[in-house]
Amino acid sequence: MMRMKSTDYKALSVSIVLLLIAICLPWIVGDFALTLAVNMAMFTVLATSWALFSGPTHYISLATAAFFGLGAYTMGLGVDHLPFWLLVILAGLFGAIMAGIIGLATLRLSGVYFVIFTLGLAEMTRQIITYIQNATGQKGILISIWFEESTFYWMLVALAALIFLVGWLIGRSRLGFALRIIGDDEEVARHSGINTALSKVLLFMIPGSVAAMSGAIIAPRYGYIEPLIAFTPMLSFQVVIMALLGGTGRLWGPLAGVIPFSILWELISASFPNQTTLLLGLSFLIIVYLLPQGFVGLLLKIRAKIGDGRGY
Amino acid sequence: MSDHRTVLSLQGVTKRFGGLIAVNDLDFDVAEHEVLGLIGPNGSGKSTTMNLISGALSVSEGEIALRGQVISDLPPHKIARRGVARTFQLVRMLPSMSVMENVMAGGVFGHRRRWGRDAERQVMKMLELVGLDRRANARPSELTYIDTKRVELARVLVGDPKVLLLDEWLAGLNPTELEEGIALVKQLRDEGRTIVLVEHVMDAIRSLCDRCVVMSSGQKIAEGATEQVLSDPEVIRAYLGEDDA
Amino acid sequence: MGILITGLLLGGTYALIAMGLNLQYGMSRIMNLANGEILVAGGFAAFWFWTAGSLSPLLTIFILAPVAFVVNWLIYVIILRPLVKRARSRGQLEVDAILTTFGLSFVAVGIMLATFGGDYFSYSYLLSPVELWSETYALNRILAFVAAVIICGALYLWLNISRAGMSIRAIAVSPDSSRLVGIDVPKLAALAFALGGAVTAVGGALISTFLTLDASTGVIFTLKALVIVIMGGVGDVRGTIVAALLLGVLETFVARLIDPGLTLAAAYLLFILILLFRPQGLFGRRQS
């Protein structure tokens, strides 16, 4: 459980090969595919970090857009004063702090309160920022730096690799074990000496921080940010769907949801731009009724069946 | 009353639910290496008392102390870390985890905090003790009822607690299983563990408990050596007032 | 004074919407996040009947209520009941219900966008000013408030007096024991869900007389209704009404004195305070 086993080494080498392929992608594919790849990398970052928290705890967080917007605004407001990389780190810090505060207020209560709270969080933050901008007579923020598309891509891939590493380490740590126990039975967890509230808050800080960093990294790509761009509520839902579609039972699960859904989303919004909401809705229903454990669950089930077949 | 051998002590413990008094001014001490039976008819407040000791419920009045330190104002996880471990009236397994991990859950965060090889070794030792070492990789859903009870026992033992709270741990077992179960708890007693057990099965109470505290309607009505308490006329009356006496 | 009355008028309509959600969550145990879309659909129906047939929204609600009742009943029986049946725990049902009703809400928005487009909808109905205590208010707001009071009152009486109403309240308290005393829980849960949907749709029709709606505003109303239900206490009719009036007044204060764009932020402030200090609701008893 805690030592490196042969399967661990195998998983590690596969991951490294996949990472190398991902890194080489910009030299292989064309411009259009690269744009799609940037989106995929971003959603991989967001969905994987989302699943780190929501997978074991079963708390559905819809706060991604709020953290993302926070990060984008950190970049927008600071870009003329501080170096880019420092702002990314700062954004991560702010995201973690905000997640900590939200977590302390809501995570000791049942999951419903948490969902409701996070559902409106992006909208509330957007209203407040709009109000402040109106009060100061500002409309949006121009971001004066600019990167090549491939640079955005590599930054996000690096962040994704970092999250996979963190997720893998958490999975082997006491905190990871504690969260699995909490997910199974919170009462047993408490009586086994686990500070359940603290564990959940600590873990929630990861997606908060990561989403804020992604927002900061991506902000220059927009060039100009205003509340409606930075706090787009769709983002939170897309992340939930991709993570659940892939499955949260494995670290790589969300990735299995990100790739097909990003492509589908691209196709639908290109040909039927008004029907993206319908797509979101149907995806939710498909997840609940047909793929409750996501693609990961489906795969494990098939594998188990094949295993059974061999047994007879 | 609290001499150096006292491990757990309850003083004036009262629990109210709205207007209902579930536990009323309860006092008792548990000495080191002692098996104390907490008995009484249904609804007399035994399980509530267990929940108060483990922190699942908070006391309305009074104090619970572990080796002289008050624990009744602590949250459950801190009480567990001080060395109070409990089983649940209805067995609670962690369904997504193996037997080994189910047991390990009790030994990583609680009183003794082990991790890695050290934890695995201790888990295997406990599984051996309860006779489940061969099923370490099984899932809880593949286990028989008594085996899930064994897993739960191993889970509370693995943290090396100062006090074990067994809440009707023997309930629902068939006669053969019951015999095995009693033998297992006896073994724990012989190892010198300190145990509080809530139990209905008279045979188990007779053969396991050094002393008994009898509760009725939230109050202590008798306390003393097991045989003596069980022949107390008031205790008999309290039990006969019930159908399944 | 003017703000207070405007706020109370708004709060009355909020009470109706929240009552619909509370019936659904408290009684049938489904946290319906598509509640706001039902409201918007109700508003659209009122708009359509008014512009196409000049039918007064006050009459529309008599057509709307039974239709919404049947639609919601079907949604419960076909889509949600299988989830209730397969759920192994309360927690699992909660997660499933949240995801499903989110799905339904997006599907509803998608359908409404496709049929009505993304424009704002508003119409002038009974705009004539009414003077109360030397301040003027639009007649439509007052009428909506009166209608809301009548419906809330009728619901309250029904829940407290009729056999079906009492059974529904019993389910809210304890589904398992209700089954033991011979209450047909699945049937009444469906009834509560359908009734909640009908109440919400009627609330939407009333609100559309004085607020502008568009296909995607539903979620804002869902949020407000949720905040009210949690503030008032799940399953608590009296608490819901008090909480709704409170929210109506607070929102009107914020809109008039600070900025109309901050109404949701105001609702949130209230929500945070409730979560921190009285998570069991205004009148709820703290459980350990």
Side-chain angles (χ1 to χ4, degrees), chain A residues 97-133:
Chain A
I97 293 170
M98 184 162 137
I101 294 170
I102 297 166
L104 285 175
T106 56
L107 283 174
R108 58 204 174 96
L109 303 167
S110 105
V112 177
Y113 296 83
F114 181 73
V115 177
I116 298 166
F117 189 84
T118 56
L119 169 64
L121 189 66
E123 179 65 20
M124 178 186 71
T125 324
R126 193 172 66 77
Q127 282 194 353
I128 292 174
I129 290 184
T130 311
Y131 168 72
I132 294 171
Q133 288 195 340

Side-chain angles (χ1 to χ4, degrees), chain B residues 193-235:
Chain B
R193 307 254 182 193
T194 310
I195 302 174
V196 179
L197 57 93
V198 163
E199 205 46 71
H200 277 300
V201 185
M202 277 301 161
D203 284 346
I205 297 167
R206 281 212 173 80
S207 56
L208 291 174
C209 301
D210 303 310
R211 277 191 322 130
C212 280
V213 167
V214 190
M215 292 183 72
S216 178
S217 313
Q219 270 167 321
K220 181 172 81 176
I221 58 167
E223 178 177 8
T226 306
E227 280 310 321
Q228 184 195 333
V229 162
L230 290 181
S231 53
D232 182 328
E234 200 185 341
V235 173

Side-chain angles (χ1 to χ4, degrees), chain A residues 112 116-117 120 123 127 288-289, chain C residues 79 86 94 261 264-265 268 275:
Chain A
V112 177
I116 298 166
F117 189 84
E123 179 65 20
Q127 282 194 353
V288 174
Y289 291 96
Chain C
I79 297 177
R86 89 172 184 198
E94 221 150 58
L264 192 72
Y268 250 64
L275 285 185

Side-chain angles (χ1 to χ4, degrees), chain A residues 1-3 172-175 177-178 180-181 184-185 187-188 190-196, chain B residues 54 56 77 80-81 86 88 92 94-97 101 105 108-110 113 115-117 120:
Chain A
M1 191 171 169
M2 293 85 202
R3 293 176 300 265
R172 298 157 53 90
S173 72
R174 285 174 199 239
L175 178 61
F177 188 46
R180 285 175 59 211
I181 301 171
D184 265 10
D185 191 326
E187 206 172 328
V188 169
R190 262 197 294 272
H191 288 292
S192 301
I194 297 171
N195 187 343
T196 53
Chain B
S54 67
H77 69 270
R81 287 178 190 176
R86 68 169 296 179
F88 297 89
R92 300 183 91 122
L94 305 167
S96 76
M97 301 192 189
E101 290 173 313
V108 178
F109 312 96
R113 314 180 117 222
W115 188 238
R117 268 172 218 267
E120 280 175 35

